[in-house]
Amino acid sequence: MTKTLFTNARLIQPVALTDSIGALLVEDGVITEVFEEAPKVKGAQVIECGGMCLAPGIIDIGVKVSEPGERHKESFRSAGRAAAAGGVTTIVTRPDTLPAIDTPETLEFVARRAQEDAPVHVLPMAALTKERAGREMTEIGFLQDGGAVAFTDCDRVVVNTKVFSRALTYAKSLDALVIAHVQEPGLSEGAAVTSGKFASLRGLPGVSPMAERMALDRDIGLLEMTGAKYHADQITTARALPALERAKRNGLDITAGIGVHHLTLNELDVADYRTFFKLKPPLRSEDDRLAVVQAVADGVIDIICSMHTPQDEESKRLPYEEAASGAVALETLLPAALRLYHEEQLTLPQLFRAMALNPARRLGLNAGRLRAGCAADLVLFDPDAPFVLDRATLQSKSKNTPFDGARMQGKVLGTWVDGVEVSGRL
Amino acid sequence: MSFRARHLLGIEHLAPDEITEVLDLADQYADHNRAGRSHKDVLAGMTQINMFFENSTRTQASFELAGKKLGADVMNMAMQASSIKKGETLIDTALTLNAMHPDLLVVRHPNSGAVDLLAQKVNGAVLNAGDGRHEHPTQALLDALTIRRAKGRLHRLSVAICGDISHSRVARSNIMLLGKMENRVRLIGPPTLMPSGISEFGCEVFDTMEEGLKDVDVVMMLRLQKERMDGGFIPSEREYFHRYGLDFAKLSNAKDDAIVMHPGPMNRGVEIDGNIADDINRSVIQTQVEMGVAVRMAAMDLLARNLKLNRKNPQGVMA
């Protein structure tokens, strides 16, 4: 029986929303006790945390690992290392691979590869429709038996409302979580940026922020019909928030997420066609950014994720409209999110409510908080340590981060998965 | 000398005194061209490559003639037919060409920002001959010179730009240039062809010609691209001409001495009545073509001067 005692740590408690010095005992990979004063524990390895922050490990919903199909962009090994370096203890992977994860067989491949190579927990998601084509639903039951924790066609919207409503109805019977991308597909077709003055100045095709609300409105209607368990992957605009709030108030089983880039960057960061800032949905106005930051603070938006999307240089070094969307963020998720803490927009417990507690609750995991009986998935970090990000140092195979050269604060000192240290050094 | 730019990528990055310097020099070239004076020494020994990733006859011919008049060795590359079709990326194409050490690269590309991207990868001076719906700086400069010669000034004029503002790089460059030179810009067109955020551009926006043309000094018509018809932006050509086509009745709202401009090629009977286009008292469309050569000579001359300075003094301050 192994025992580890973390002493003199700032314990970040996302349930009680407290942030105070204490100690934590881990036995055999499980948190067994939380103390205000560190006791003497016989036979325990003691980790003196030096007053640094100890928080539940980050649970990141929506990570793209490019296996199968594009292993040169990201493998389970490289993504796992990036996660460990970034304090992410569980990655929930996306099925938008080549081919898509839409059969129990491909799911089994992914589960095996993850098991062999990744030092952190990997929970796979599966496609909602075959080939993510929006025509026929996948074998949701078999896939769930095979370990799929949620069903999503990723950035493809199921355009046919009838198909989507049937998939939701079927998923409901299995209590399966469906994750949707909310962009009205006609309005957002071909868009590279958010419409407005900046889009027009740069001569880039834009999509109205209204496209997000329209898609959310449709899905809320379908939820009223079906009662399904639903999560909107990214809510990034102010206009969508009242509808989301209302749906929650009306008792629908709905949650919403947001990528860390939409919380920390705005459309002007694209500047002179910098394609590393090309995301899906596109970066929004500063007004929208401030609104969604507030929504995370208020708990209207539940979950912050990295939307980790590896792209190689070839797919980014193109004219803006033709360049691929997405950014890597497993390692930058925490320091980027800490910008909101340093700007006093969110507290540390609020951040970890959105990055650990809420994702754990949504997926039904016994993790995401510092409480006896929970898995000892932990991250120890210094929230203030400054550094300048050099993308070449990232563990990911792809280096497409918009934060290259950015001044950031917050360094991970150690990451523990089931009580075992997987990265970092005190 | 105030024109310090290394490339001419857009009007956005030019200061008013830089614009004036280009126009002053172009003004001289225009006079000299009429007088038949030769300037073969200006770009002698320099190589100019015209890379057009999008079809163009007029702009390409204008750049070619401008280069030849200044004595450059001019090469035209029709990029649509070349390696792009074989899957080569824009950056590889740029690097390949750069290895041939061209001094001046004239580039047109269907994607906004593509010329900026290419300019980051080459040593020579890049002239943007139109990128997507972003900018077309030499068109705005030639329009400015045409206005200045016709009106005797390039400030405190009321200029109407009419038609498909949304998809027009000519409109964007002109809005910026005319704004920088302190003119009033009015934009007229159907709301479906207005870009988003247009109210923040510092222009007045109208959706009828009668209102929009009231007392303007300059009427700038834009080409209505036929492919817009399929996108459902307007119901039909004939309704468009009825509401937004420039005819004498609509033009009568403008000042009596208002001039009419068009960047070409024109769709007679769609955006402009053929009789107006041919009216030598109102239309300066042919002058625009003439000024095009002079403006491109001036722009290439100035960029070549900066290029030579930069080569002599590689630590120079040029951005």
Side-chain angles (χ1 to χ4, degrees):
Chain A
M1 179 148 140
T2 62
K3 288 185 188 178
T4 314
L5 183 68
F6 294 84
T7 62
N8 191 24
R10 245 175 100 181
L11 300 178
I12 311 299
Q13 293 282 18
V15 181
L17 291 175
T18 58
D19 167 2
S20 54
I21 292 288
L24 189 95
L25 181 65
V26 172
E27 293 179 77
D28 284 339
V30 177
I31 299 171
T32 47
E33 233 177 315
V34 182
F35 313 92
E36 283 181 18
E37 294 274 329
K40 289 242 184 303
V41 181
K42 258 190 196 162
Q45 180 204 358
V46 175
I47 295 176
E48 156 62 42
C49 298
M52 292 301 162
C53 297
L54 187 66
I58 296 167
I59 298 168
D60 191 0
I61 299 182
V63 173
K64 168 89 177 268
V65 177
S66 311
E67 283 191 65
E70 295 173 302
R71 206 163 143 186
H72 65 287
K73 291 187 179 178
E74 194 81 289
S75 65
F76 279 101
R77 182 185 299 267
S78 60
R81 284 181 178 167
V88 177
T89 51
T90 301
I91 56 180
V92 182
T93 57
R94 302 208 308 252
D96 53 346
T97 45
L98 293 172
I101 313 300
D102 60 357
T103 62
E105 289 76 14
T106 45
L107 182 69
E108 193 193 337
F109 167 82
V110 167
R112 194 181 66 241
R113 292 284 305 122
Q115 177 92 36
E116 286 167 2
D117 272 1
V120 300
H121 300 297
V122 177
L123 301 176
M125 296 191 283
L128 182 67
T129 66
K130 289 173 186 165
E131 295 171 2
R132 301 194 297 130
R135 284 191 298 270
E136 300 166 77
M137 72 177 95
T138 52
E139 295 169 311
I140 296 175
F142 281 154
L143 288 161
Q144 203 177 31
D145 293 344
V149 295
F151 296 83
T152 178
D153 281 353
C154 300
D155 62 355
R156 290 200 197 150
V157 177
V158 181
V159 179
N160 187 321
T161 307
K162 195 166 250 176
V163 171
F164 194 45
S165 78
R166 284 183 187 141
L168 285 168
T169 306
Y170 193 83
K172 158 83 178 161
S173 71
L174 292 161
D175 197 30
L177 176 65
V178 173
I179 299 185
H181 184 68
V182 279
Q183 282 296 306
E184 207 287 313
L187 210 52
S188 56
E189 191 186 350
V193 288
T194 303
S195 63
K197 185 185 180 191
F198 179 77
S200 295
L201 271 176
R202 285 287 168 273
L204 291 170
V207 56
S208 165
M210 190 61 89
E212 188 169 283
R213 192 186 100 190
M214 290 169 71
L216 184 65
D217 279 340
R218 179 196 76 159
D219 288 3
I220 288 172
L222 291 174
L223 292 186
E224 281 182 28
M225 273 169 63
T226 61
K229 193 169 167 182
Y230 174 97
H231 176 72
D233 64 349
Q234 301 178 78
I235 294 293
T236 58
T237 60
R239 276 183 176 152
L241 293 171
L244 176 63
E245 254 185 303
R246 207 162 43 241
K248 286 184 163 185
R249 222 174 24 242
N250 291 345
L252 297 179
D253 192 356
I254 181 172
T255 50
I258 186 166
V260 72
H261 297 117
H262 287 88
L263 289 171
T264 50
L265 303 168
N266 69 29
E267 58 183 351
L268 301 181
D269 286 303
V270 170
D272 282 327
Y273 305 100
R274 296 197 288 171
T275 57
F276 279 23
F277 291 79
K278 185 174 178 185
L279 304 172
K280 206 171 174 185
L283 287 170
R284 306 302 194 182
S285 68
E286 180 64 2
D287 287 347
D288 276 333
R289 187 187 75 85
L290 292 172
V292 290
V293 169
Q294 188 58 47
V296 173
D298 297 341
V300 175
I301 291 177
D302 305 87
I303 292 171
I304 300 174
C305 62
S306 68
M307 271 296 144
H308 183 81
T309 305
Q311 298 289 2
D312 53 15
E313 304 287 305
E314 284 68 38
S315 48
K316 280 288 187 184
R317 297 286 186 212
L318 291 171
Y320 198 85
E321 278 171 71
E322 291 177 359
S325 301
V328 293
L330 276 169
E331 279 173 87
T332 47
L333 173 57
L334 180 57
L338 285 171
R339 283 186 171 183
L340 304 170
Y341 160 69
H342 291 296
E343 286 164 13
E344 296 179 353
Q345 290 165 316
L346 289 171
T347 64
L348 290 175
Q350 281 176 324
L351 275 178
F352 280 86
R353 181 178 67 186
M355 296 194 297
L357 176 68
N358 286 344
R361 280 184 171 160
R362 198 57 174 143
L363 299 172
L365 308 175
N366 183 24
R369 60 179 87 180
L370 304 179
R371 195 180 66 175
C374 280
D377 294 343
L378 303 167
V379 54
L380 180 67
F381 64 97
D382 175 351
D384 300 315
F387 67 102
V388 175
L389 185 83
D390 173 3
R391 69 191 185 106
T393 64
L394 294 178
Q395 300 287 329
S396 284
K397 284 191 181 182
S398 295
K399 314 290 184 192
N400 54 307
T401 172
F403 292 117
D404 187 36
R407 289 164 199 276
M408 308 192 92
Q409 269 182 287
K411 271 190 175 166
V412 171
L413 303 171
T415 305
W416 286 263
V417 173
D418 288 333
V420 177
E421 186 166 6
V422 290
S423 99
R425 194 161 291 271
L426 275 172
Chain B
M1 191 169 132
S2 52
F3 189 86
R4 305 295 288 169
R6 199 183 133 194
H7 306 295
L8 180 61
L9 299 177
I11 299 297
E12 190 183 357
H13 304 294
L14 292 183
D17 60 336
E18 289 180 295
I19 292 168
T20 304
E21 187 178 358
V22 178
L23 297 183
D24 289 348
L25 184 61
D27 210 21
Q28 289 176 27
Y29 275 128
D31 291 341
H32 293 176
N33 286 347
R34 279 189 188 171
R37 273 180 60 183
S38 165
H39 296 278
K40 291 278 188 196
D41 53 325
V42 174
L43 296 180
M46 293 189 120
T47 312
Q48 172 194 343
I49 301 184
N50 296 335
M51 295 169 74
F52 280 68
F53 294 88
E54 193 181 77
N55 279 332
S56 160
T57 342
R58 309 157 61 97
T59 307
Q60 187 173 338
S62 181
F63 268 109
E64 184 175 353
L65 187 60
K68 285 181 170 164
K69 275 179 175 288
L70 295 178
D73 298 313
V74 186
M75 191 170 107
N76 287 315
M77 297 185 67
M79 299 308 296
Q80 284 191 311
S82 84
S83 45
I84 290 295
K85 289 269 183 265
K86 297 173 195 161
E88 188 176 70
T89 66
L90 180 62
I91 288 189
D92 284 330
T93 308
L95 293 175
T96 305
L97 279 172
N98 194 46
M100 301 179 197
H101 302 293
D103 301 287
L104 295 157
L105 269 169
V106 179
V107 187
R108 169 170 287 188
H109 197 283
N111 288 131
S112 303
V115 182
D116 295 56
L117 179 66
L118 192 138
Q120 293 165 18
K121 305 287 168 186
V122 298
N123 300 319
V126 175
L127 288 100
N128 182 359
D131 64 321
R133 36 172 119 160
H134 177 220
E135 282 234 43
H136 191 354
T138 55
Q139 179 71 44
L141 288 164
L142 75 88
D143 288 341
L145 183 59
T146 308
I147 295 171
R148 202 172 82 169
R149 284 170 76 109
K151 292 280 157 200
R153 66 176 201 269
L154 188 60
H155 58 270
R156 301 187 66 175
L157 292 168
S158 180
V159 182
I161 306 179
C162 317
D164 183 0
I165 313 286
S166 179
H167 299 95
S168 174
R169 53 194 173 215
V170 175
R172 276 180 187 62
S173 290
N174 267 312
I175 289 168
M176 275 187 261
L177 189 149
L178 292 167
K180 280 176 197 248
M181 306 313 280
E182 299 180 5
N183 297 282
R184 287 179 70 168
V185 180
R186 305 176 137 214
L187 304 176
I188 313 171
T192 46
L193 293 175
M194 283 291 164
S196 58
I198 192 68
S199 55
E200 297 166 55
F201 274 64
C203 305
E204 293 169 272
V205 181
F206 299 91
D207 54 16
T208 69
M209 293 286 272
E210 288 72 15
E211 251 186 291
L213 291 180
K214 198 110 198 97
D215 297 327
V216 299
D217 299 289
V218 178
V219 183
M220 225 180 240
M221 299 306 297
L222 297 172
R223 174 182 162 73
L224 182 76
Q225 287 170 0
K226 300 272 185 187
E227 54 267 32
R228 302 297 165 227
M229 227 65 76
D230 309 326
F233 291 94
I234 54 167
S236 71
E237 277 186 23
R238 61 180 190 179
E239 180 161 327
Y240 185 81
F241 182 69
H242 176 69
R243 296 194 61 205
Y244 296 101
L246 188 67
D247 54 24
F248 282 106
K250 295 191 189 100
L251 185 58
S252 67
N253 292 288
K255 280 192 187 153
D256 292 339
D257 62 349
I259 55 169
V260 175
M261 307 176 74
H262 193 296
M266 278 181 282
N267 298 310
R268 288 172 186 256
V270 179
E271 69 256 354
I272 190 164
D273 181 336
N275 292 323
I276 293 184
D278 297 333
D279 181 348
I280 52 165
N281 295 316
R282 308 305 293 268
S283 163
V284 292
I285 296 172
Q286 297 307 317
T287 318
Q288 286 176 276
V289 179
E290 184 191 352
M291 292 307 123
V293 177
V295 153
R296 285 162 184 136
M297 289 170 77
M300 289 198 285
D301 182 353
L302 291 169
L303 287 171
R305 289 183 207 177
N306 288 351
L307 202 61
K308 286 175 194 161
L309 268 177
N310 232 6
R311 280 176 185 160
K312 257 185 234 160
N313 171 22
Q315 312 305 328
V317 287
M318 260 162 251

